[in-house]
Amino acid sequence: MRRKKKSDSGGDGGAPAWMVTYGDLMSLLLCFFVMLVSMSSMSESKFKQAMGSLLGALGVMKFDSSIMELENPNLSGKYQEEVKRIVKEFDDFKSYVIDEGLEESIEIVETDEGMLIRMENTLLFSSGEAEMNESGLELLARVADILLEFDADIRIEGHTDNVPIHTEKFPSNWELSAERAVKVLKYLNRFGIPGKKFTAIGRGEYSPLVENDTEEHRSQNRRVEIFVDYKKELKKQDIRHFSIQEG
């Protein structure tokens, strides 16, 4: 009787040896990237770039590094131009602050989300009050002109020092700081900035810039801060544009 020939792929019908090795390699790479992400802080754009490079090297997808780079002018030119325009608006406001001699009372800081305008309370309110004075109204009108220029979320925070307040209207610094933030919000809203963009927060004495150990330091802690989170919105738009390019 003639013997049956053994199959070239093996008698047990299992997967080829190279496929097992390839599967082990993919598992190790997955574990590596999970550990990498858990142990470090990585921006979204850099993570996408790294993952795209890996997938392209493994032949899983066609990959063009210029598409994955969010800072590439072909992809993000509109984003960068908008950032330049907004920064110029704030530079003009800084010039206004200097011309008015307010640089000791107003600070303008660029943050990860956008721009921060920090104003000492004496520019806007009298001690222990939440009604804005004339100089404060004029200053906020100038701020409103800037805020109208871009599509961004606006967060207004009121802060006090640690000196307790106990009045019928303001039982604590929380109420005072919250009322001041709301008053600033309502005034800016009168200039046509949509209400859905605003958030008002009363921080009371719990987020001081410096220790409340001297009158000078306490005056620094009594402040109103306006956060203009324009970068977050621009990045959303740019990521959407990136997704279209990727597709």
Side-chain angles (χ1 to χ4, degrees):
M1 179 182 294
R2 296 178 59 186
R3 295 182 179 178
K4 293 182 180 180
K5 293 183 178 180
K6 292 184 179 180
S7 172
D8 293 336
S9 60
D12 57 359
W18 67 267
M19 187 175 293
V20 176
T21 303
Y22 184 82
D24 289 342
L25 176 61
M26 294 301 99
S27 298
L28 288 172
L29 285 174
L30 176 61
C31 293
F32 170 76
F33 274 95
V34 169
M35 291 179 61
L36 181 65
V37 172
S38 64
M39 295 174 62
S40 64
S41 175
M42 184 180 295
S43 66
E44 183 176 3
S45 62
K46 297 300 182 183
F47 179 76
K48 287 183 176 180
Q49 185 178 2
M51 289 301 298
S53 300
L54 173 64
L55 294 175
L58 295 174
V60 177
M61 61 174 281
K62 292 183 179 180
F63 172 70
D64 182 355
S65 60
S66 63
I67 293 178
M68 301 299 293
E69 181 57 56
L70 287 180
E71 287 78 13
N72 183 278
N74 293 329
L75 175 64
S76 302
K78 184 177 180 181
Y79 169 82
Q80 294 184 9
E81 287 299 319
E82 187 67 7
V83 170
K84 289 179 182 178
R85 183 184 71 81
I86 292 173
V87 170
K88 183 180 183 304
E89 291 287 342
F90 279 100
D91 284 342
D92 291 343
F93 182 64
K94 289 179 183 179
S95 298
Y96 165 80
V97 169
I98 294 172
D99 292 342
E100 295 295 320
L102 300 173
E103 60 267 31
E104 295 297 323
S105 302
I106 298 178
E107 187 178 6
I108 303 170
V109 182
E110 187 173 4
T111 70
D112 292 339
E113 290 78 23
M115 204 69 70
L116 162 64
I117 303 174
R118 179 179 290 136
M119 297 174 286
E120 290 187 4
N121 271 343
T122 52
L123 290 175
L124 305 175
F125 306 99
S126 299
S127 178
E129 300 294 334
E131 296 299 327
M132 284 187 290
N133 52 45
E134 288 299 323
S135 62
L137 296 176
E138 182 179 348
L139 175 62
L140 288 177
R142 185 70 177 84
V143 173
D145 289 339
I146 299 174
L147 300 182
L148 283 167
E149 292 295 322
F150 23 86
D151 184 19
D153 291 335
I154 301 167
R155 185 173 78 257
I156 302 170
E157 295 185 358
H159 299 264
T160 68
D161 58 25
N162 65 342
V163 178
I165 183 172
H166 299 291
T167 66
E168 182 178 353
K169 189 173 183 179
F170 304 116
S172 73
N173 283 321
W174 263 325
E175 284 84 359
L176 176 60
S177 61
E179 181 70 14
R180 285 173 170 174
V182 171
K183 285 293 177 67
V184 172
L185 181 157
K186 288 183 175 179
Y187 186 72
L188 292 175
N189 180 240
R190 289 171 52 186
F191 289 85
I193 304 172
K196 66 180 181 180
K197 296 183 181 300
F198 285 111
T199 302
I201 301 174
R203 299 288 188 188
E205 69 265 32
Y206 297 104
S207 297
L209 293 175
V210 293
E211 292 293 332
N212 285 289
D213 51 0
T214 66
E215 177 53 37
E216 181 181 357
H217 285 172
R218 284 191 291 271
S219 67
Q220 292 180 41
N221 291 329
R222 298 190 296 265
R223 67 198 190 276
V224 170
E225 297 181 338
I226 301 176
F227 293 85
V228 188
D229 297 340
Y230 71 86
K231 288 184 181 179
K232 183 165 57 177
E233 181 60 33
L234 289 178
K235 286 178 180 178
K236 287 180 183 177
Q237 297 175 10
D238 207 50
I239 289 172
R240 286 196 294 268
H241 181 63
F242 159 78
S243 299
I244 294 172
Q245 293 288 330
E246 183 184 27

PDB file of all heavy atoms in Angstrom, residues 18 33 64 75 115 120-121 123-124 127 136 141-142 154 195-196 211 233 238 247:
ATOM      1  N   TRP A  18       6.611  31.672  11.183  1.00  0.00           N
ATOM      2  CA  TRP A  18       6.860  33.115  11.076  1.00  0.00           C
ATOM      3  C   TRP A  18       5.688  33.937  11.628  1.00  0.00           C
ATOM      4  O   TRP A  18       5.870  35.018  12.170  1.00  0.00           O
ATOM      5  CB  TRP A  18       7.122  33.515   9.622  1.00  0.00           C
ATOM      6  CG  TRP A  18       5.923  33.373   8.707  1.00  0.00           C
ATOM      7  CD1 TRP A  18       5.586  32.305   7.949  1.00  0.00           C
ATOM      8  CD2 TRP A  18       4.901  34.359   8.509  1.00  0.00           C
ATOM      9  NE1 TRP A  18       4.420  32.534   7.272  1.00  0.00           N
ATOM     10  CE2 TRP A  18       3.983  33.805   7.598  1.00  0.00           C
ATOM     11  CE3 TRP A  18       4.681  35.640   9.006  1.00  0.00           C
ATOM     12  CZ2 TRP A  18       2.852  34.485   7.163  1.00  0.00           C
ATOM     13  CZ3 TRP A  18       3.555  36.329   8.577  1.00  0.00           C
ATOM     14  CH2 TRP A  18       2.650  35.753   7.661  1.00  0.00           C
ATOM     15  N   PHE A  33       4.659  50.459  24.002  1.00  0.00           N
ATOM     16  CA  PHE A  33       4.020  51.759  23.854  1.00  0.00           C
ATOM     17  C   PHE A  33       3.064  52.052  25.008  1.00  0.00           C
ATOM     18  O   PHE A  33       2.896  53.202  25.406  1.00  0.00           O
ATOM     19  CB  PHE A  33       3.291  51.846  22.507  1.00  0.00           C
ATOM     20  CG  PHE A  33       4.190  52.286  21.399  1.00  0.00           C
ATOM     21  CD1 PHE A  33       4.819  51.360  20.580  1.00  0.00           C
ATOM     22  CD2 PHE A  33       4.437  53.632  21.168  1.00  0.00           C
ATOM     23  CE1 PHE A  33       5.661  51.764  19.571  1.00  0.00           C
ATOM     24  CE2 PHE A  33       5.272  54.046  20.155  1.00  0.00           C
ATOM     25  CZ  PHE A  33       5.893  53.113  19.351  1.00  0.00           C
ATOM     26  N   ASP A  64       2.943  59.191   5.540  1.00  0.00           N
ATOM     27  CA  ASP A  64       3.735  60.331   5.096  1.00  0.00           C
ATOM     28  C   ASP A  64       3.972  61.215   6.304  1.00  0.00           C
ATOM     29  O   ASP A  64       3.030  61.768   6.859  1.00  0.00           O
ATOM     30  CB  ASP A  64       2.980  61.104   4.005  1.00  0.00           C
ATOM     31  CG  ASP A  64       3.804  62.280   3.478  1.00  0.00           C
ATOM     32  OD1 ASP A  64       4.892  62.554   4.018  1.00  0.00           O
ATOM     33  OD2 ASP A  64       3.338  62.912   2.531  1.00  0.00           O
ATOM     34  N   LEU A  75      -0.196  71.921   6.570  1.00  0.00           N
ATOM     35  CA  LEU A  75      -1.360  71.484   7.325  1.00  0.00           C
ATOM     36  C   LEU A  75      -1.867  72.561   8.263  1.00  0.00           C
ATOM     37  O   LEU A  75      -3.062  72.774   8.394  1.00  0.00           O
ATOM     38  CB  LEU A  75      -1.003  70.233   8.137  1.00  0.00           C
ATOM     39  CG  LEU A  75      -2.095  69.709   9.075  1.00  0.00           C
ATOM     40  CD1 LEU A  75      -3.305  69.259   8.283  1.00  0.00           C
ATOM     41  CD2 LEU A  75      -1.562  68.556   9.908  1.00  0.00           C
ATOM     42  N   MET A 115      -4.450  82.939  26.485  1.00  0.00           N
ATOM     43  CA  MET A 115      -3.927  84.146  27.100  1.00  0.00           C
ATOM     44  C   MET A 115      -4.657  84.431  28.410  1.00  0.00           C
ATOM     45  O   MET A 115      -5.853  84.168  28.542  1.00  0.00           O
ATOM     46  CB  MET A 115      -4.095  85.337  26.152  1.00  0.00           C
ATOM     47  CG  MET A 115      -3.126  86.467  26.409  1.00  0.00           C
ATOM     48  SD  MET A 115      -1.393  86.068  26.008  1.00  0.00           S
ATOM     49  CE  MET A 115      -1.457  85.975  24.223  1.00  0.00           C
ATOM     50  N   GLU A 120      -5.620  93.713  39.036  1.00  0.00           N
ATOM     51  CA  GLU A 120      -5.815  93.925  40.460  1.00  0.00           C
ATOM     52  C   GLU A 120      -7.207  94.495  40.704  1.00  0.00           C
ATOM     53  O   GLU A 120      -7.734  95.281  39.912  1.00  0.00           O
ATOM     54  CB  GLU A 120      -4.746  94.878  41.000  1.00  0.00           C
ATOM     55  CG  GLU A 120      -3.356  94.276  41.049  1.00  0.00           C
ATOM     56  CD  GLU A 120      -2.360  95.178  41.752  1.00  0.00           C
ATOM     57  OE1 GLU A 120      -2.791  96.249  42.259  1.00  0.00           O
ATOM     58  OE2 GLU A 120      -1.175  94.824  41.814  1.00  0.00           O
ATOM     59  N   ASN A 121      -7.791  94.103  41.821  1.00  0.00           N
ATOM     60  CA  ASN A 121      -9.166  94.507  42.117  1.00  0.00           C
ATOM     61  C   ASN A 121      -9.348  96.015  42.213  1.00  0.00           C
ATOM     62  O   ASN A 121     -10.426  96.532  41.937  1.00  0.00           O
ATOM     63  CB  ASN A 121      -9.628  93.862  43.434  1.00  0.00           C
ATOM     64  CG  ASN A 121     -10.269  92.504  43.204  1.00  0.00           C
ATOM     65  OD1 ASN A 121     -10.653  92.159  42.088  1.00  0.00           O
ATOM     66  ND2 ASN A 121     -10.369  91.721  44.258  1.00  0.00           N
ATOM     67  N   LEU A 123      -8.450  98.244  40.339  1.00  0.00           N
ATOM     68  CA  LEU A 123      -8.793  98.821  39.042  1.00  0.00           C
ATOM     69  C   LEU A 123     -10.286  98.727  38.767  1.00  0.00           C
ATOM     70  O   LEU A 123     -10.838  99.532  38.009  1.00  0.00           O
ATOM     71  CB  LEU A 123      -8.038  98.107  37.919  1.00  0.00           C
ATOM     72  CG  LEU A 123      -6.534  98.326  37.830  1.00  0.00           C
ATOM     73  CD1 LEU A 123      -5.954  97.451  36.729  1.00  0.00           C
ATOM     74  CD2 LEU A 123      -6.220  99.790  37.547  1.00  0.00           C
ATOM     75  N   LEU A 124     -10.946  97.745  39.366  1.00  0.00           N
ATOM     76  CA  LEU A 124     -12.333  97.451  39.024  1.00  0.00           C
ATOM     77  C   LEU A 124     -13.313  97.740  40.156  1.00  0.00           C
ATOM     78  O   LEU A 124     -14.439  98.190  39.900  1.00  0.00           O
ATOM     79  CB  LEU A 124     -12.464  95.983  38.610  1.00  0.00           C
ATOM     80  CG  LEU A 124     -11.552  95.486  37.476  1.00  0.00           C
ATOM     81  CD1 LEU A 124     -11.732  93.986  37.293  1.00  0.00           C
ATOM     82  CD2 LEU A 124     -11.861  96.220  36.184  1.00  0.00           C
ATOM     83  N   SER A 127     -12.980  98.378  47.905  1.00  0.00           N
ATOM     84  CA  SER A 127     -12.776  97.327  48.897  1.00  0.00           C
ATOM     85  C   SER A 127     -14.111  96.808  49.440  1.00  0.00           C
ATOM     86  O   SER A 127     -14.978  97.586  49.863  1.00  0.00           O
ATOM     87  CB  SER A 127     -11.922  97.867  50.044  1.00  0.00           C
ATOM     88  OG  SER A 127     -11.753  96.888  51.044  1.00  0.00           O
ATOM     89  N   GLY A 136     -12.755 100.953  35.833  1.00  0.00           N
ATOM     90  CA  GLY A 136     -12.894  99.546  35.508  1.00  0.00           C
ATOM     91  C   GLY A 136     -13.759  99.313  34.293  1.00  0.00           C
ATOM     92  O   GLY A 136     -13.464  98.462  33.446  1.00  0.00           O
ATOM     93  N   ALA A 141     -14.105  97.669  28.658  1.00  0.00           N
ATOM     94  CA  ALA A 141     -14.561  97.960  27.296  1.00  0.00           C
ATOM     95  C   ALA A 141     -13.435  97.722  26.299  1.00  0.00           C
ATOM     96  O   ALA A 141     -13.658  97.202  25.195  1.00  0.00           O
ATOM     97  CB  ALA A 141     -15.063  99.403  27.211  1.00  0.00           C
ATOM     98  N   ARG A 142     -12.227  98.079  26.698  1.00  0.00           N
ATOM     99  CA  ARG A 142     -11.059  97.828  25.835  1.00  0.00           C
ATOM    100  C   ARG A 142     -10.793  96.329  25.722  1.00  0.00           C
ATOM    101  O   ARG A 142     -10.459  95.830  24.643  1.00  0.00           O
ATOM    102  CB  ARG A 142      -9.836  98.535  26.429  1.00  0.00           C
ATOM    103  CG  ARG A 142      -8.595  98.464  25.572  1.00  0.00           C
ATOM    104  CD  ARG A 142      -8.738  99.299  24.316  1.00  0.00           C
ATOM    105  NE  ARG A 142      -7.527  99.293  23.518  1.00  0.00           N
ATOM    106  CZ  ARG A 142      -7.203  98.353  22.652  1.00  0.00           C
ATOM    107  NH1 ARG A 142      -7.985  97.312  22.481  1.00  0.00           N
ATOM    108  NH2 ARG A 142      -6.088  98.444  21.955  1.00  0.00           N
ATOM    109  N   ILE A 154     -14.148  81.761  27.371  1.00  0.00           N
ATOM    110  CA  ILE A 154     -13.630  82.808  28.252  1.00  0.00           C
ATOM    111  C   ILE A 154     -14.015  82.458  29.691  1.00  0.00           C
ATOM    112  O   ILE A 154     -15.198  82.343  30.009  1.00  0.00           O
ATOM    113  CB  ILE A 154     -14.199  84.184  27.871  1.00  0.00           C
ATOM    114  CG1 ILE A 154     -13.835  84.517  26.418  1.00  0.00           C
ATOM    115  CG2 ILE A 154     -13.686  85.268  28.819  1.00  0.00           C
ATOM    116  CD1 ILE A 154     -14.600  85.699  25.854  1.00  0.00           C
ATOM    117  N   GLY A 195     -23.053  84.622  25.339  1.00  0.00           N
ATOM    118  CA  GLY A 195     -23.030  84.158  26.717  1.00  0.00           C
ATOM    119  C   GLY A 195     -22.532  82.735  26.869  1.00  0.00           C
ATOM    120  O   GLY A 195     -21.977  82.371  27.911  1.00  0.00           O
ATOM    121  N   LYS A 196     -22.720  81.900  25.829  1.00  0.00           N
ATOM    122  CA  LYS A 196     -22.299  80.497  25.921  1.00  0.00           C
ATOM    123  C   LYS A 196     -20.796  80.339  26.014  1.00  0.00           C
ATOM    124  O   LYS A 196     -20.302  79.266  26.384  1.00  0.00           O
ATOM    125  CB  LYS A 196     -22.820  79.714  24.721  1.00  0.00           C
ATOM    126  CG  LYS A 196     -22.226  80.140  23.384  1.00  0.00           C
ATOM    127  CD  LYS A 196     -22.794  79.320  22.234  1.00  0.00           C
ATOM    128  CE  LYS A 196     -22.181  79.733  20.906  1.00  0.00           C
ATOM    129  NZ  LYS A 196     -22.736  78.936  19.787  1.00  0.00           N
ATOM    130  N   GLU A 211       1.962  84.563  49.387  1.00  0.00           N
ATOM    131  CA  GLU A 211       1.495  84.440  50.767  1.00  0.00           C
ATOM    132  C   GLU A 211       0.784  85.732  51.209  1.00  0.00           C
ATOM    133  O   GLU A 211       1.177  86.837  50.826  1.00  0.00           O
ATOM    134  CB  GLU A 211       2.675  84.171  51.701  1.00  0.00           C
ATOM    135  CG  GLU A 211       3.325  82.809  51.499  1.00  0.00           C
ATOM    136  CD  GLU A 211       2.409  81.655  51.905  1.00  0.00           C
ATOM    137  OE1 GLU A 211       1.549  81.871  52.803  1.00  0.00           O
ATOM    138  OE2 GLU A 211       2.547  80.566  51.339  1.00  0.00           O
ATOM    139  N   GLU A 233      -9.503  75.911  21.059  1.00  0.00           N
ATOM    140  CA  GLU A 233     -10.437  75.883  19.939  1.00  0.00           C
ATOM    141  C   GLU A 233      -9.698  75.763  18.616  1.00  0.00           C
ATOM    142  O   GLU A 233     -10.109  75.025  17.722  1.00  0.00           O
ATOM    143  CB  GLU A 233     -11.290  77.156  19.954  1.00  0.00           C
ATOM    144  CG  GLU A 233     -12.331  77.232  18.850  1.00  0.00           C
ATOM    145  CD  GLU A 233     -13.329  76.102  18.902  1.00  0.00           C
ATOM    146  OE1 GLU A 233     -13.653  75.624  20.009  1.00  0.00           O
ATOM    147  OE2 GLU A 233     -13.785  75.676  17.827  1.00  0.00           O
ATOM    148  N   ASP A 238      -7.732  72.416  13.971  1.00  0.00           N
ATOM    149  CA  ASP A 238      -6.584  71.884  13.257  1.00  0.00           C
ATOM    150  C   ASP A 238      -6.594  70.358  13.260  1.00  0.00           C
ATOM    151  O   ASP A 238      -6.242  69.730  12.271  1.00  0.00           O
ATOM    152  CB  ASP A 238      -5.293  72.393  13.909  1.00  0.00           C
ATOM    153  CG  ASP A 238      -4.152  72.452  12.922  1.00  0.00           C
ATOM    154  OD1 ASP A 238      -4.342  73.018  11.838  1.00  0.00           O
ATOM    155  OD2 ASP A 238      -3.079  71.915  13.229  1.00  0.00           O
ATOM    156  N   GLY A 247      -7.462  61.018   6.133  1.00  0.00           N
ATOM    157  CA  GLY A 247      -8.402  60.148   5.438  1.00  0.00           C
ATOM    158  C   GLY A 247      -8.196  60.139   3.959  1.00  0.00           C
ATOM    159  O   GLY A 247      -8.500  59.172   3.287  1.00  0.00           O
TER     160      GLY A 247
END
